[in-house]
Amino acid sequence: KNINSIILDLSKCLFIEKDIWDYFIELKKELQNKNGDLVLINMNGAVKNDYNIMELSNYLESFNDISSAFYNFGILTDIKSA
């Protein structure tokens, strides 16, 4: 209840079935209706490959780390580069 935005860390995920990708897209739509969002972080290997092959960047935004995701939501206002 009352959750508008979700950052989903996929760093330990080795594979995602198409039905789960579809669920993520539907969940994002539901959250956007509540002025929220769903973003993905830390994708690796087959998960990142599938994300790219299915061109899911058109539907689900992804970031390399949690700081970038927080910045996307306006939680962090400055990200210092190394």
Side-chain angles (χ1 to χ4, degrees):
K1 292 182 179 181
N2 299 324
I3 294 176
N4 293 12
S5 295
I6 297 172
I7 298 171
L8 188 58
D9 185 345
L10 299 176
S11 60
K12 295 186 180 185
C13 187
L14 301 176
F15 177 77
I16 297 177
E17 292 184 10
K18 184 180 180 318
D19 291 343
I20 301 301
W21 287 116
D22 291 341
Y23 172 76
F24 290 161
I25 292 168
E26 289 303 314
L27 178 58
K28 180 177 177 97
K29 289 176 186 176
E30 288 177 30
L31 292 170
Q32 287 178 324
N33 288 335
K34 300 177 187 176
N35 296 319
D37 202 359
L38 168 70
V39 298
L40 311 174
I41 63 168
N42 297 324
M43 283 190 289
N44 298 302
V47 174
K48 186 169 189 159
N49 189 43
D50 289 347
Y51 174 87
N52 291 332
I53 288 171
M54 292 187 282
E55 298 180 351
L56 293 172
S57 62
N58 296 329
Y59 307 99
L60 298 166
E61 201 165 5
S62 71
F63 298 95
N64 291 330
D65 55 54
I66 195 151
S67 294
S68 298
F70 281 156
Y71 183 79
N72 175 68
F73 288 128
I75 295 170
L76 295 178
T77 56
D78 183 28
I79 295 179
K80 296 182 181 183
S81 58

